[in-house]
Amino acid sequence: MQHHLADRVAWITGAASGIGAATAKRFAAEGAKLALTDINPEALDAIAAEIGGDVFTMTGDVSKKDDTVAAGRAIEEHFGKIDVLICNAGINRDTFAMKMSEDKWDLVLNINLKGTFLCCQAAFPAMMRNKFGRIVTTASVGALGNPGQANYSASKAGVIGLTKTLAIEWARYNITANCVAPGATMTPMLAGVPDKVKDEMLKGIPLGRFGTPEDIAAAHLFFCSPDAGYVSGQVLFIDGGMTTGA
Ligand SMILES: NC(=O)c1ccc[n+]([C@@H]2O[C@H](COP(=O)([O-])OP(=O)(O)OC[C@H]3O[C@@H](n4cnc5c(N)ncnc54)[C@H](O)[C@@H]3O)[C@@H](O)[C@H]2O)c1
């Protein structure tokens, strides 16, 4: 069997749950060496133990520069390089815009947008030195606008602009930057949505089901595989057709 990520060192943020954990497992199966980070140490250890082998783990907050710089340095020290960065950590704190507190705005923008920026910056020196990098960020169908998600939507739209900019600025170092934009995906994040809202969401999905974390992991793999060497600055919606407007 061909391993698409043989010997690639992959840093995955928010790896302790949902999409990040599924991507870690898929990447391990594809031969990658894993550096997994998350703010939740117990859940992170559990995923690393499930995967087994030489999995490097580190606890940290993507919205804190000290944490991201320390993670980037520690991963490069441990494995000697960083080939892949999956910026997956993210949160939502939904409230209608009129009533949204400044705290909820700041928290979501800091983790989803600034956190993505800081991790890219932290991985950059290692990628630049090696003249190789594959960065995949995480937007959402919510980037197109969604009631109750002014903070989340703005953060995810910002991630798209950031990703396209990095695709231009860092191309000279053979670093690609692409973005996955999941639709409603069955993870703890979606589990928090009331059943009535989920029933309504399903009606807007032509494929008639929610996404799985593995659906998104497959897109992560594509962007980091040799087949995507000429793909950069792209946003891939993985949403069962939700954003067709059907
Ligand atoms: N599930 C969906 O329907 C959906 C849809 C679109 C986009 N997304 C995006 O996909 C990504 C993964 O979401 P998920 O559904 O797997 O969620 P999840 O809640 O299952 O996992 C998110 C992980 O990020 C970690 N995390 C949270 N804050 C952090 C911080 N400050 N620093 C480091 N780690 C932190 C959490 O501990 C958790 O392990 C997020 O960026 C999310 O916005 C999810």
Side-chain angles (χ1 to χ4, degrees), residues 3-6 8-12 23 27 30 32 83-87 127 132-137 176-178 180 216-231:
H3 285 144
H4 291 97
L5 298 178
R8 293 281 180 226
V9 173
W11 175 9
I12 302 170
T23 298
F27 277 23
E30 296 288 343
D83 297 306
V84 168
L85 170 65
I86 305 293
C87 292
M127 291 180 171
F132 184 91
R134 297 287 176 261
I135 294 171
V136 187
T137 60
T176 64
N178 292 288
V180 295
I216 315 305
H220 281 149
L221 175 62
F222 168 66
F223 280 132
C224 300
S225 74
D227 287 339
Y230 197 55
V231 180

Side-chain angles (χ1 to χ4, degrees), residues 17-19 38-39 60-62 88 138-140 152 156 182-183 185 187-188:
S17 173
I19 293 167
D38 203 283
I39 204 165
D61 181 342
V62 292
N88 164 78
T138 308
S140 163
Y152 187 78
K156 295 302 192 179
T185 309
T187 71

Side-chain angles (χ1 to χ4, degrees), residues 90-97 99-101 103-109 111-112 148-153 155 189:
I91 61 161
N92 63 334
R93 292 291 182 273
D94 300 351
T95 314
F96 287 113
K99 291 191 173 169
M100 186 172 291
S101 67
D103 284 352
K104 274 191 180 175
W105 175 271
D106 287 346
L107 185 68
V108 170
L109 268 289
I111 293 175
N112 295 3
Q149 292 199 312
N151 51 358
Y152 187 78
S153 177
S155 73
M189 185 180 273

Side-chain angles (χ1 to χ4, degrees), residues 55-71:
V55 178
F56 177 87
T57 59
M58 193 161 163
T59 306
D61 181 342
V62 292
S63 68
K64 301 272 187 296
K65 182 160 181 164
D66 286 352
D67 288 7
T68 58
V69 169

